[in-house]
Amino acid sequence: GAVVSQHPSWVICKSGTSVKIECRSLDFQATTMFWYRQFPKQSLMLMATSNEGSKATYEQGVEKDKFLINHASLTLSTLTVTSAHPEDSSFYICSASLREGQTDTQYFGPGTRLTVL
Amino acid sequence: QQQVKQSPQSLIVQKGGISIINCAYENTAFDYFPWYQQFPGKGPALLIAIRPDVSEKKEGRFTISFNKSAKQFSLHIMDSQPGDSATYFCAALRHNTDKLIFGTGTRLQVFP
């Protein structure tokens, strides 16, 4: 159980275009989903926390107008990178939170590799 | 105080050996400590996790040792296999919050 999917797994786009990444919890409902960014050989950097039906909470330094997050249902959150530029190229990973006993365990998706030309 | 310090940055172990990765924290409000395993090009996968009310947790070849007074915890991989070659991240979660604080990661290579 506790499977999280992401789509697409990779995407290449031209500079200035927008890209949407979907994150789904397949076998559980997640009230909270998270979006991370990871550069090569580095740790995960939290971008934002997304709660179903409410606005996302962005981490300091993350542009909310550039990285639009929508959490439309308990199983789906989307991240849209607007007007993408080469510096936005990265590995984007979502996670979904599942309540297990006393703990909200985060289960991660397989990631989306974004390359902006 | 929000940091989790992880070492070593990289680790090379022979097949059958023991891999040990260490993490340390400052914030005593952390009360959940998971370890994640990440293969190249993939998302992190939850490996094993511990709460501070126990000093050790074992699942198969993976063991977490937890030292509450020293504010340190470590991952031990017994009988390390080439298939264990991956990057391992320790993390910590503060009580009543949902933000994981990740360590910097350890790249493990197990040679046959």
Side-chain angles (χ1 to χ4, degrees), chain A residues 32 34 36 38 41-44 46 49 59 91 93 102-111 113, chain B residues 9 31-32 36 38 41-46 51 53 89 93 97-100 102-105 107:
Chain A
T32 306
F34 304 84
Y36 294 83
Q38 187 178 35
K41 297 186 179 180
Q42 291 191 23
S43 190
L44 287 81
L46 180 65
T49 302
E59 294 299 299
F91 193 50
I93 313 171
Q102 307 172 56
T103 306
D104 290 315
T105 303
Q106 281 191 39
Y107 291 94
F108 285 82
R113 172 77 58 193
Chain B
Q9 189 174 8
D31 66 352
Y32 174 69
Y36 286 88
Q38 186 180 29
K42 305 293 182 184
L46 180 64
R51 288 191 160 275
D53 50 352
F89 292 96
L93 186 67
T97 68
D98 52 14
K99 283 187 197 177
L100 278 173
F102 281 91
T104 49
R107 187 182 175 206

Short mmCIF file of all heavy atoms in Angstrom, two decimals, chain A residues 32 34 36 38 41-44 46 49 59 91 93 102-111 113, chain B residues 9 31-32 36 38 41-46 51 53 89 93 97-100 102-105 107:
data_model
loop_
_atom_site.label_atom_id
_atom_site.label_comp_id
_atom_site.label_asym_id
_atom_site.label_seq_id
_atom_site.Cartn_x
_atom_site.Cartn_y
_atom_site.Cartn_z
N THR A 32 -2.70 16.02 3.08
CA THR A 32 -1.54 16.90 2.85
C THR A 32 -0.60 16.27 1.84
O THR A 32 -0.29 15.09 1.94
CB THR A 32 -0.78 17.16 4.16
OG1 THR A 32 -1.67 17.65 5.15
CG2 THR A 32 0.33 18.19 3.94
N PHE A 34 3.11 17.27 -0.45
CA PHE A 34 4.28 18.14 -0.42
C PHE A 34 4.97 18.11 -1.78
O PHE A 34 4.98 17.09 -2.46
CB PHE A 34 5.28 17.66 0.65
CG PHE A 34 4.70 17.55 2.03
CD1 PHE A 34 4.00 16.42 2.41
CD2 PHE A 34 4.85 18.58 2.95
CE1 PHE A 34 3.45 16.31 3.68
CE2 PHE A 34 4.31 18.47 4.23
CZ PHE A 34 3.61 17.34 4.58
N TYR A 36 8.72 18.84 -3.54
CA TYR A 36 10.14 19.03 -3.30
C TYR A 36 10.85 19.24 -4.64
O TYR A 36 10.39 18.81 -5.69
CB TYR A 36 10.75 17.80 -2.63
CG TYR A 36 10.27 17.51 -1.23
CD1 TYR A 36 9.08 16.81 -1.01
CD2 TYR A 36 11.02 17.89 -0.12
CE1 TYR A 36 8.65 16.52 0.26
CE2 TYR A 36 10.59 17.59 1.17
CZ TYR A 36 9.41 16.91 1.35
OH TYR A 36 8.99 16.62 2.62
N GLN A 38 14.88 18.70 -6.19
CA GLN A 38 16.18 18.10 -5.85
C GLN A 38 17.15 18.33 -6.99
O GLN A 38 16.89 17.94 -8.13
CB GLN A 38 16.01 16.59 -5.60
CG GLN A 38 17.27 15.93 -5.09
CD GLN A 38 17.06 14.44 -4.80
OE1 GLN A 38 16.33 13.77 -5.51
NE2 GLN A 38 17.72 13.94 -3.76
N LYS A 41 22.87 15.24 -6.77
CA LYS A 41 23.72 14.94 -5.63
C LYS A 41 23.43 15.83 -4.43
O LYS A 41 24.33 16.06 -3.59
CB LYS A 41 25.20 15.03 -6.02
CG LYS A 41 25.58 14.01 -7.08
CD LYS A 41 27.07 14.01 -7.36
CE LYS A 41 27.40 12.97 -8.42
NZ LYS A 41 28.84 12.92 -8.73
N GLN A 42 22.23 16.33 -4.34
CA GLN A 42 21.84 17.14 -3.19
C GLN A 42 20.61 16.55 -2.51
O GLN A 42 19.97 15.63 -3.02
CB GLN A 42 21.56 18.58 -3.62
CG GLN A 42 22.81 19.33 -4.06
CD GLN A 42 22.56 20.80 -4.23
OE1 GLN A 42 21.64 21.37 -3.65
NE2 GLN A 42 23.41 21.44 -5.01
N SER A 43 20.32 17.10 -1.36
CA SER A 43 19.17 16.63 -0.60
C SER A 43 17.89 17.21 -1.17
O SER A 43 17.90 18.01 -2.11
CB SER A 43 19.33 17.02 0.88
OG SER A 43 18.35 16.39 1.66
N LEU A 44 16.77 16.81 -0.60
CA LEU A 44 15.48 17.31 -1.05
C LEU A 44 15.22 18.68 -0.43
O LEU A 44 15.45 18.89 0.76
CB LEU A 44 14.36 16.36 -0.63
CG LEU A 44 14.28 15.05 -1.39
CD1 LEU A 44 15.27 14.04 -0.87
CD2 LEU A 44 12.87 14.49 -1.33
N LEU A 46 12.24 21.29 0.30
CA LEU A 46 10.79 21.47 0.33
C LEU A 46 10.43 22.79 -0.33
O LEU A 46 10.97 23.84 0.01
CB LEU A 46 10.29 21.44 1.77
CG LEU A 46 8.78 21.63 1.96
CD1 LEU A 46 8.00 20.47 1.33
CD2 LEU A 46 8.43 21.75 3.45
N THR A 49 3.82 23.10 0.87
CA THR A 49 2.91 22.14 1.48
C THR A 49 1.51 22.42 0.97
O THR A 49 1.06 23.58 0.98
CB THR A 49 2.95 22.27 3.01
OG1 THR A 49 4.28 22.08 3.46
CG2 THR A 49 2.03 21.25 3.67
N GLU A 59 7.48 27.64 0.95
CA GLU A 59 8.67 27.88 1.76
C GLU A 59 9.30 29.21 1.34
O GLU A 59 9.08 29.70 0.22
CB GLU A 59 9.67 26.75 1.59
CG GLU A 59 9.18 25.42 2.14
CD GLU A 59 8.90 25.47 3.63
OE1 GLU A 59 9.84 25.74 4.41
OE2 GLU A 59 7.73 25.25 4.01
N PHE A 91 14.78 18.04 -10.70
CA PHE A 91 14.00 16.84 -10.40
C PHE A 91 12.95 17.24 -9.37
O PHE A 91 13.30 17.69 -8.28
CB PHE A 91 14.94 15.76 -9.86
CG PHE A 91 14.36 14.38 -9.80
CD1 PHE A 91 13.72 13.82 -10.89
CD2 PHE A 91 14.48 13.62 -8.64
CE1 PHE A 91 13.20 12.54 -10.84
CE2 PHE A 91 13.96 12.33 -8.57
CZ PHE A 91 13.33 11.79 -9.68
N ILE A 93 9.80 16.24 -6.98
CA ILE A 93 9.26 15.06 -6.31
C ILE A 93 8.11 15.49 -5.40
O ILE A 93 8.24 16.48 -4.66
CB ILE A 93 10.32 14.35 -5.45
CG1 ILE A 93 11.63 14.17 -6.21
CG2 ILE A 93 9.82 13.00 -4.96
CD1 ILE A 93 12.78 13.67 -5.35
N GLN A 102 0.53 7.25 15.43
CA GLN A 102 0.76 8.60 15.91
C GLN A 102 1.43 9.50 14.87
O GLN A 102 1.65 10.69 15.14
CB GLN A 102 1.70 8.57 17.12
CG GLN A 102 1.29 7.64 18.24
CD GLN A 102 2.40 7.55 19.28
OE1 GLN A 102 2.84 8.56 19.84
NE2 GLN A 102 2.89 6.35 19.52
N THR A 103 1.76 8.94 13.72
CA THR A 103 2.65 9.65 12.80
C THR A 103 2.02 9.87 11.44
O THR A 103 1.30 9.01 10.94
CB THR A 103 3.95 8.84 12.63
OG1 THR A 103 4.51 8.58 13.91
CG2 THR A 103 4.95 9.60 11.77
N ASP A 104 2.30 11.02 10.87
CA ASP A 104 1.95 11.26 9.47
C ASP A 104 3.15 10.89 8.62
O ASP A 104 4.10 11.67 8.50
CB ASP A 104 1.58 12.74 9.26
CG ASP A 104 0.26 13.08 9.93
OD1 ASP A 104 -0.70 12.30 9.77
OD2 ASP A 104 0.18 14.13 10.61
N THR A 105 3.11 9.70 8.04
CA THR A 105 4.23 9.20 7.25
C THR A 105 4.15 9.75 5.84
O THR A 105 3.09 9.72 5.21
CB THR A 105 4.20 7.67 7.21
OG1 THR A 105 4.22 7.16 8.54
CG2 THR A 105 5.40 7.13 6.45
N GLN A 106 5.27 10.23 5.36
CA GLN A 106 5.31 10.75 3.99
C GLN A 106 5.78 9.66 3.04
O GLN A 106 6.84 9.06 3.23
CB GLN A 106 6.26 11.95 3.89
CG GLN A 106 5.63 13.24 4.39
CD GLN A 106 6.45 14.46 4.05
OE1 GLN A 106 7.02 14.56 2.95
NE2 GLN A 106 6.52 15.40 4.98
N TYR A 107 4.99 9.44 2.00
CA TYR A 107 5.34 8.51 0.93
C TYR A 107 5.58 9.33 -0.34
O TYR A 107 4.78 10.19 -0.69
CB TYR A 107 4.24 7.48 0.73
CG TYR A 107 4.12 6.52 1.89
CD1 TYR A 107 3.23 6.76 2.93
CD2 TYR A 107 4.94 5.40 1.96
CE1 TYR A 107 3.15 5.90 4.01
CE2 TYR A 107 4.86 4.53 3.03
CZ TYR A 107 3.97 4.79 4.06
OH TYR A 107 3.89 3.93 5.13
N PHE A 108 6.68 9.02 -1.00
CA PHE A 108 7.12 9.84 -2.12
C PHE A 108 6.75 9.24 -3.47
O PHE A 108 6.69 8.01 -3.64
CB PHE A 108 8.65 10.02 -2.07
CG PHE A 108 9.07 10.99 -1.00
CD1 PHE A 108 9.20 10.58 0.31
CD2 PHE A 108 9.33 12.32 -1.31
CE1 PHE A 108 9.57 11.48 1.31
CE2 PHE A 108 9.71 13.21 -0.32
CZ PHE A 108 9.82 12.79 0.98
N GLY A 109 6.53 10.13 -4.42
CA GLY A 109 6.35 9.72 -5.79
C GLY A 109 7.69 9.42 -6.45
O GLY A 109 8.74 9.66 -5.85
N PRO A 110 7.66 8.94 -7.69
CA PRO A 110 8.90 8.56 -8.38
C PRO A 110 9.67 9.75 -8.95
O PRO A 110 10.79 9.59 -9.43
CB PRO A 110 8.41 7.65 -9.50
CG PRO A 110 7.02 8.10 -9.75
CD PRO A 110 6.47 8.56 -8.44
N GLY A 111 9.07 10.95 -8.89
CA GLY A 111 9.77 12.13 -9.37
C GLY A 111 9.50 12.43 -10.84
O GLY A 111 9.12 11.56 -11.62
N ARG A 113 11.47 14.55 -13.98
CA ARG A 113 12.65 15.27 -14.44
C ARG A 113 12.22 16.33 -15.44
O ARG A 113 11.69 16.00 -16.49
CB ARG A 113 13.62 14.29 -15.10
CG ARG A 113 14.82 14.94 -15.79
CD ARG A 113 15.86 15.37 -14.80
NE ARG A 113 16.34 14.27 -13.97
CZ ARG A 113 17.05 14.42 -12.87
NH1 ARG A 113 17.37 15.62 -12.46
NH2 ARG A 113 17.44 13.36 -12.17
N GLN B 9 29.43 11.53 3.87
CA GLN B 9 28.83 11.97 2.62
C GLN B 9 28.78 10.81 1.63
O GLN B 9 27.85 10.67 0.85
CB GLN B 9 29.63 13.13 2.06
CG GLN B 9 29.00 13.82 0.88
CD GLN B 9 29.78 15.05 0.47
OE1 GLN B 9 30.89 15.32 0.98
NE2 GLN B 9 29.25 15.83 -0.44
N ASP B 31 10.34 14.07 17.09
CA ASP B 31 9.91 12.84 17.74
C ASP B 31 9.64 11.70 16.76
O ASP B 31 8.99 10.70 17.10
CB ASP B 31 8.66 13.10 18.60
CG ASP B 31 7.44 13.48 17.77
OD1 ASP B 31 7.59 13.69 16.55
OD2 ASP B 31 6.36 13.56 18.35
N TYR B 32 10.13 11.84 15.56
CA TYR B 32 9.97 10.76 14.58
C TYR B 32 11.14 10.86 13.63
O TYR B 32 11.45 11.94 13.11
CB TYR B 32 8.63 10.93 13.85
CG TYR B 32 8.40 9.96 12.71
CD1 TYR B 32 8.20 8.60 12.95
CD2 TYR B 32 8.37 10.41 11.39
CE1 TYR B 32 7.98 7.73 11.90
CE2 TYR B 32 8.16 9.54 10.34
CZ TYR B 32 7.96 8.20 10.60
OH TYR B 32 7.74 7.32 9.58
N TYR B 36 15.20 7.17 4.49
CA TYR B 36 14.74 6.95 3.13
C TYR B 36 15.89 6.47 2.27
O TYR B 36 17.04 6.89 2.44
CB TYR B 36 14.16 8.25 2.54
CG TYR B 36 12.80 8.62 3.10
CD1 TYR B 36 12.69 9.39 4.25
CD2 TYR B 36 11.64 8.20 2.47
CE1 TYR B 36 11.45 9.74 4.77
CE2 TYR B 36 10.38 8.55 2.97
CZ TYR B 36 10.30 9.31 4.11
OH TYR B 36 9.07 9.64 4.61
N GLN B 38 17.11 6.16 -1.74
CA GLN B 38 16.81 6.72 -3.06
C GLN B 38 17.78 6.19 -4.10
O GLN B 38 19.00 6.35 -3.95
CB GLN B 38 16.86 8.25 -3.04
CG GLN B 38 16.43 8.89 -4.36
CD GLN B 38 16.46 10.41 -4.33
OE1 GLN B 38 17.25 11.01 -3.62
NE2 GLN B 38 15.60 11.04 -5.12
N GLY B 41 17.50 8.71 -10.15
CA GLY B 41 16.35 8.97 -11.00
C GLY B 41 15.02 8.53 -10.43
O GLY B 41 13.99 8.55 -11.14
N LYS B 42 15.00 8.15 -9.16
CA LYS B 42 13.77 7.69 -8.51
C LYS B 42 13.48 8.55 -7.29
O LYS B 42 14.34 9.26 -6.78
CB LYS B 42 13.90 6.23 -8.07
CG LYS B 42 14.26 5.27 -9.18
CD LYS B 42 13.15 5.15 -10.20
CE LYS B 42 13.50 4.14 -11.29
NZ LYS B 42 12.45 4.10 -12.34
N GLY B 43 12.24 8.46 -6.80
CA GLY B 43 11.89 9.15 -5.58
C GLY B 43 12.37 8.37 -4.36
O GLY B 43 12.63 7.17 -4.45
N PRO B 44 12.50 9.04 -3.22
CA PRO B 44 12.91 8.34 -1.99
C PRO B 44 11.85 7.33 -1.56
O PRO B 44 10.65 7.59 -1.68
CB PRO B 44 13.04 9.47 -0.97
CG PRO B 44 13.07 10.73 -1.75
CD PRO B 44 12.30 10.47 -3.00
N ALA B 45 12.30 6.22 -1.02
CA ALA B 45 11.39 5.20 -0.49
C ALA B 45 11.64 5.04 0.99
O ALA B 45 12.80 4.93 1.41
CB ALA B 45 11.59 3.88 -1.22
N LEU B 46 10.57 5.02 1.77
CA LEU B 46 10.70 4.84 3.22
C LEU B 46 11.30 3.47 3.51
O LEU B 46 10.80 2.45 3.05
CB LEU B 46 9.34 4.98 3.89
CG LEU B 46 9.31 4.81 5.40
CD1 LEU B 46 10.12 5.90 6.08
CD2 LEU B 46 7.88 4.80 5.92
N ARG B 51 10.88 6.00 16.75
CA ARG B 51 10.49 7.06 17.66
C ARG B 51 11.45 7.05 18.84
O ARG B 51 12.03 6.02 19.15
CB ARG B 51 9.05 6.85 18.15
CG ARG B 51 8.02 7.12 17.09
CD ARG B 51 6.62 7.17 17.67
NE ARG B 51 5.74 7.87 16.76
CZ ARG B 51 5.59 9.19 16.73
NH1 ARG B 51 6.26 9.94 17.57
NH2 ARG B 51 4.78 9.76 15.87
N ASP B 53 11.18 6.74 21.90
CA ASP B 53 10.91 5.95 23.10
C ASP B 53 11.54 4.56 23.03
O ASP B 53 11.44 3.79 23.99
CB ASP B 53 9.40 5.85 23.33
CG ASP B 53 8.64 5.41 22.10
OD1 ASP B 53 9.25 5.33 21.01
OD2 ASP B 53 7.43 5.15 22.21
N PHE B 89 18.96 8.92 3.05
CA PHE B 89 18.69 10.17 3.75
C PHE B 89 18.06 9.87 5.11
O PHE B 89 17.08 9.12 5.19
CB PHE B 89 17.70 11.04 2.96
CG PHE B 89 18.23 11.58 1.67
CD1 PHE B 89 17.98 10.92 0.47
CD2 PHE B 89 18.99 12.73 1.65
CE1 PHE B 89 18.47 11.42 -0.73
CE2 PHE B 89 19.49 13.24 0.44
CZ PHE B 89 19.22 12.57 -0.75
N LEU B 93 11.12 14.63 12.15
CA LEU B 93 9.84 15.31 12.12
C LEU B 93 9.55 15.84 13.51
O LEU B 93 9.65 15.11 14.50
CB LEU B 93 8.74 14.32 11.71
CG LEU B 93 7.34 14.88 11.49
CD1 LEU B 93 7.32 15.79 10.28
CD2 LEU B 93 6.34 13.75 11.31
N THR B 97 3.94 18.59 13.78
CA THR B 97 4.15 19.27 12.51
C THR B 97 4.19 18.23 11.41
O THR B 97 4.22 17.03 11.68
CB THR B 97 5.47 20.07 12.48
OG1 THR B 97 6.57 19.15 12.50
CG2 THR B 97 5.57 21.03 13.65
N ASP B 98 4.22 18.69 10.17
CA ASP B 98 4.25 17.73 9.07
C ASP B 98 5.44 17.93 8.13
O ASP B 98 5.52 17.31 7.09
CB ASP B 98 2.94 17.78 8.28
CG ASP B 98 2.58 19.20 7.84
OD1 ASP B 98 3.45 20.09 7.92
OD2 ASP B 98 1.42 19.42 7.44
N LYS B 99 6.37 18.81 8.52
CA LYS B 99 7.52 19.06 7.65
C LYS B 99 8.69 18.20 8.06
O LYS B 99 9.22 18.31 9.16
CB LYS B 99 7.95 20.52 7.75
CG LYS B 99 7.09 21.49 7.00
CD LYS B 99 7.74 22.86 7.05
CE LYS B 99 6.73 23.91 6.68
NZ LYS B 99 7.32 25.26 6.79
N LEU B 100 9.13 17.36 7.11
CA LEU B 100 10.33 16.56 7.35
C LEU B 100 11.57 17.41 7.16
O LEU B 100 11.67 18.17 6.20
CB LEU B 100 10.38 15.39 6.37
CG LEU B 100 9.56 14.14 6.68
CD1 LEU B 100 9.61 13.18 5.51
CD2 LEU B 100 10.06 13.48 7.96
N PHE B 102 15.38 16.98 6.31
CA PHE B 102 16.24 15.94 5.76
C PHE B 102 17.72 16.20 6.06
O PHE B 102 18.17 17.35 6.11
CB PHE B 102 16.08 15.85 4.24
CG PHE B 102 14.85 15.10 3.82
CD1 PHE B 102 13.66 15.77 3.61
CD2 PHE B 102 14.89 13.72 3.65
CE1 PHE B 102 12.52 15.08 3.23
CE2 PHE B 102 13.76 13.03 3.26
CZ PHE B 102 12.57 13.70 3.05
N GLY B 103 18.44 15.11 6.22
CA GLY B 103 19.89 15.20 6.24
C GLY B 103 20.40 15.40 4.82
O GLY B 103 19.64 15.41 3.86
N THR B 104 21.71 15.54 4.70
CA THR B 104 22.32 15.87 3.41
C THR B 104 22.50 14.66 2.51
O THR B 104 22.82 14.80 1.34
CB THR B 104 23.67 16.55 3.61
OG1 THR B 104 24.43 15.77 4.54
CG2 THR B 104 23.50 17.96 4.16
N GLY B 105 22.31 13.47 3.05
CA GLY B 105 22.40 12.27 2.23
C GLY B 105 23.76 11.60 2.29
O GLY B 105 24.79 12.25 2.47
N ARG B 107 25.87 8.67 0.02
CA ARG B 107 25.89 7.81 -1.15
C ARG B 107 26.65 6.53 -0.79
O ARG B 107 27.86 6.57 -0.52
CB ARG B 107 26.55 8.50 -2.33
CG ARG B 107 26.46 7.71 -3.60
CD ARG B 107 27.16 8.40 -4.75
NE ARG B 107 27.17 7.56 -5.94
CZ ARG B 107 28.08 7.63 -6.91
NH1 ARG B 107 29.04 8.51 -6.83
NH2 ARG B 107 28.02 6.85 -7.95
#
